[in-house]
Amino acid sequence: EMIGSDWSSDVCSSDLNGMTKIGAITVGQAPRVDVTSDIMPLLQGCELLEKGGLDGLTRQQIEAFAPQEGDYVLVSRLVDGSSVTFAEKHVLPRLQAAIDELEAQGCRLILFFCTGDFPATFHANVPLIFPNQILQGLVPLLTATGRIAVVTPS
């Protein structure tokens, strides 16, 4: 059994270049202080580098990404704390660019701060951690003999 501090000491062990870099990607805008405040204690000894699929865009530009019938819908936060809804297809290329940037900055793995179900089209030379894949494996184990409540962003 590996607890949080054991995991972080393994993944975040320092090397000759200093702290290990871990990437974090949100489909919205970075930084996601609402998420990082919970995760940083688990990443002691690591430097967390954040990128967002909507970084650098104005609200007006993001409104052009409004979902149409049949689109896979994503909901996320902007840096001002407000919520936005948009079609996944508009942000996928921007997420790949974020992966590429984080790899270029030396990240050893990249966490996605989104529980959406993404297509297997991303290319990376480091592990990509998707919460949805973890949840799909874990939830059936937790609900085999009981119930679980689900809270969604919208």
Side-chain angles (χ1 to χ4, degrees), residues 28-52:
Q29 291 179 334
R32 283 294 303 266
V33 294
D34 58 313
V35 177
T36 56
S37 63
D38 291 330
I39 199 169
M40 285 310 295
L42 299 173
L43 299 178
Q44 294 176 9
C46 288
E47 178 183 3
L48 186 67
L49 304 178
E50 294 182 68
K51 299 283 182 190

Side-chain angles (χ1 to χ4, degrees), residues 57-131:
L57 298 178
T58 65
R59 179 170 287 281
Q60 185 177 18
Q61 291 170 314
I62 295 166
E63 287 173 1
F65 295 169
Q68 304 298 317
E69 187 175 335
D71 284 341
Y72 186 78
V73 178
L74 295 173
V75 178
S76 193
R77 287 174 47 121
L78 301 181
V79 291
D80 67 5
S82 64
S83 179
V84 292
T85 302
F86 50 96
E88 177 192 60
K89 65 185 177 189
H90 298 294
V91 78
L92 290 176
R94 297 177 62 85
L95 296 176
Q96 182 61 60
I99 292 168
D100 297 341
E101 291 173 29
L102 290 169
E103 282 187 325
Q105 292 176 327
C107 291
R108 288 182 54 187
L109 66 88
I110 298 172
L111 308 168
F112 270 71
F113 286 171
C114 180
T115 55
D117 190 17
F118 294 97
T121 58
F122 295 125
H123 304 284
N125 296 309
V126 299
L128 300 176
I129 310 297
F130 295 94

Side-chain angles (χ1 to χ4, degrees), residues 12-34:
C12 298
S13 60
S14 295
D15 55 26
L16 296 176
N17 298 324
M19 294 186 0
T20 299
K21 295 177 182 178
I22 303 296
I25 294 177
T26 177
V27 295
Q29 291 179 334
R32 283 294 303 266
V33 294
D34 58 313

